Amino acid sequence: MRSRLQAAALSLFASALIATPIQGQSVEQGIELFNASKFAEARVALLPYGERDASAAFHLGRIELEGNDADKAVEWFERAVRMNPKSSVYYDWLGRAYGTQAQRANRFRQPFLARKTKNAWETALALDPDNLDVRDDLIIFYTRVPGFLGGNKEKAHEMALEIKKRNPYRGSIAATNLCAAENDTLCVERGLQEMVTTYPDSAGVYAGLAVFYANQKQFDKAFAVLDQRLRTKPNEIRTLYYVGRTAALSGQNLDHGEQALKTVLANPTPESGPSPAGLHYRLGMIYEKKGENALAREEYRTVLQLNPRHQDAQKALAGLK
C-alpha cells in the first residue's frame, strides 16, 4: 500500500499530466495498454482524458481497482457513470468498487456502502437485463450480505434461474456458486464434475474443478484434472497457469509448475486471466518453496514494479531471509 506521501506525489504528477497531454497518445492507445496489462503506462496515457472521457475514466477506475485502491477506483467510476449514465458495465464496476470498500470498512460504514453497492448493481441490471456479470454479482451480494442489508437467498436462486434461461453454461456456474455460498462442498464438486462432462471443450470448467480441489487441499486431484486437460490441450495458457498456481500453493510438482508459468509469461497476455504481476507472484512462491530465495526475491520485486500495491508480494519479500 502506498503511503499518503506517495499518493500525494502521484496526485501532483497526475495533475501535471492532465494539464499537458502526452504527445501522440490517445484514449484508444491507453485502453490498448490496459488490455495488455501495462497498467502504469495505461494510467499515464489515460489521465489527461479522465475528466472528460467516460471510457478513460472507466479504465482508470479499473486500474485503481487492480492496484488495490478501491477509494480512487470509486472516484473514477463515479465520473464514468456521470458522463455515461446509460452504461450497465460502468455501474457494474462501480458496484464492485463499493463492495470492495465495504469489505474493508468499519461496521458503522458498512451498511451505507452495502446499500450503494446494491443500488449500483440494480441500476446496471435495469439498464441491461442480459448483463450476466451483474446477475452474478447480485447473487454474491444476496448470499453474503445479511438480510437487513438486502441479502436474500431466495432472490439469489431466482437470479441463478434467470441466468440459466439466458445462458445454460453460465447458469450452471451460478448454481455451483450458490452451492459454494451455502458451504455444500459435495454439491459444488458434483456440479463441476457434471460440467466437465457437459462442456468438455471449456477450459474454465477444468480450471474451476482444479481450483475447488486446491481449495480443499486435495492437490493430487487438482493436478489430475489439469493433466487430463493438458493431454488434449497441451499448450492451453489458462490450464498452464492453474498448473503453476496449484504447484505454488501445494509445494508439489514445483518444476512442472515453474515451467508452466514460464510458458504463460512467454506468450501474449490474454484479455482475461491473471495479470503479469500475478504470474510473477506465483513464480516467486515456487522459487521460495524450492529454496531458491534469490530467484524468489527477483520475482517479488518484479511484481512490485508492475503493481506497487501488491500486498502479498510486499509481505513475501519482507519475509525472505
Side-chain angles (χ1 to χ4, degrees):
M1 184 70 72
R2 284 193 174 97
S3 67
R4 292 182 181 275
L5 183 59
Q6 288 173 311
L10 179 60
S11 177
L12 289 172
F13 180 56
S15 298
L17 287 171
I18 291 171
T20 309
I22 295 176
Q23 183 69 28
Q25 288 189 321
S26 65
V27 174
E28 291 74 19
Q29 289 171 319
I31 294 171
E32 287 179 7
L33 290 166
F34 172 85
N35 290 335
S37 297
K38 297 179 179 179
F39 299 124
E41 296 172 50
R43 181 189 286 111
V44 171
L46 292 169
L47 273 171
Y49 306 97
E51 298 291 343
R52 62 181 185 273
D53 185 280
S55 184
F58 168 71
H59 284 88
L60 285 164
R62 293 281 306 274
I63 290 167
E64 295 300 344
L65 206 55
E66 180 72 26
N68 206 32
D69 193 331
D71 293 341
K72 286 186 178 179
V74 163
E75 292 176 9
W76 285 117
F77 290 139
E78 286 179 340
R79 287 189 181 99
V81 299
R82 281 198 298 271
M83 287 186 277
N84 183 2
K86 300 297 184 181
S87 173
S88 175
V89 173
Y90 291 1
Y91 271 104
D92 184 22
W93 280 92
L94 176 59
R96 294 179 187 185
Y98 286 145
T100 303
Q101 282 185 319
Q103 291 173 18
R104 301 169 184 172
N106 61 51
R107 61 188 181 89
F108 299 106
R109 193 160 179 253
Q110 281 182 336
F112 169 72
L113 290 170
R115 286 192 293 272
K116 294 187 78 169
T117 301
K118 183 171 178 283
N119 289 340
W121 283 337
E122 288 180 341
T123 300
L125 188 61
L127 287 167
D128 182 5
D130 291 325
N131 187 332
L132 302 187
D133 292 337
V134 176
R135 290 185 179 276
D136 282 334
D137 288 335
L138 279 166
I139 286 175
I140 294 171
F141 181 89
Y142 290 142
T143 54
R144 293 185 182 178
V145 173
F148 71 93
L149 291 178
N152 188 317
K153 290 185 178 180
E154 184 177 343
K155 282 189 176 182
H157 283 272
E158 291 172 358
M159 192 68 72
L161 290 174
E162 286 295 326
I163 292 174
K164 192 166 187 176
K165 289 178 185 177
R166 290 167 168 80
N167 186 315
Y169 175 79
R170 291 283 295 267
S172 296
I173 294 174
T176 303
N177 288 338
L178 279 175
C179 294
E182 294 167 356
N183 297 315
D184 189 341
T185 56
L186 289 176
C187 177
V188 174
E189 183 176 17
R190 184 171 60 251
L192 288 169
Q193 288 174 339
E194 288 175 356
M195 288 190 72
V196 166
T197 301
T198 307
Y199 303 102
D201 293 331
S202 171
V205 172
Y206 286 88
L209 185 55
V211 168
F212 167 76
Y213 283 134
N215 290 344
Q216 300 298 311
K217 301 193 182 302
Q218 299 180 46
F219 297 113
D220 289 344
K221 288 186 176 182
F223 280 116
V225 169
L226 296 167
D227 288 342
Q228 177 187 348
R229 178 67 175 179
L230 289 174
R231 281 194 287 273
T232 56
K233 302 283 186 179
N235 301 312
E236 190 168 66
I237 296 301
R238 186 170 189 173
T239 303
L240 288 170
Y241 164 69
Y242 283 101
V243 169
R245 177 186 185 273
T246 306
L249 292 173
S250 66
Q252 301 171 19
N253 297 324
L254 293 174
D255 290 341
H256 185 26
E258 177 187 351
Q259 187 56 52
L261 290 175
K262 285 181 175 179
T263 300
V264 177
L265 284 165
N267 280 272
T269 303
E271 290 187 8
S272 61
S275 66
L279 292 167
H280 283 286
Y281 175 67
R282 296 299 183 190
L283 191 53
M285 290 177 66
I286 287 176
Y287 285 137
E288 188 172 355
K289 285 182 167 64
K290 293 175 75 171
E292 299 176 5
N293 285 0
L295 290 174
R297 189 175 291 109
E298 183 179 339
E299 292 300 322
Y300 293 143
R301 285 173 177 164
T302 299
V303 174
L304 294 174
Q305 288 173 357
L306 294 167
N307 182 359
R309 299 170 186 157
H310 198 295
Q311 295 181 1
D312 289 334
Q314 291 173 354
K315 292 176 184 176
L317 187 59
L320 281 176
K321 297 180 180 179

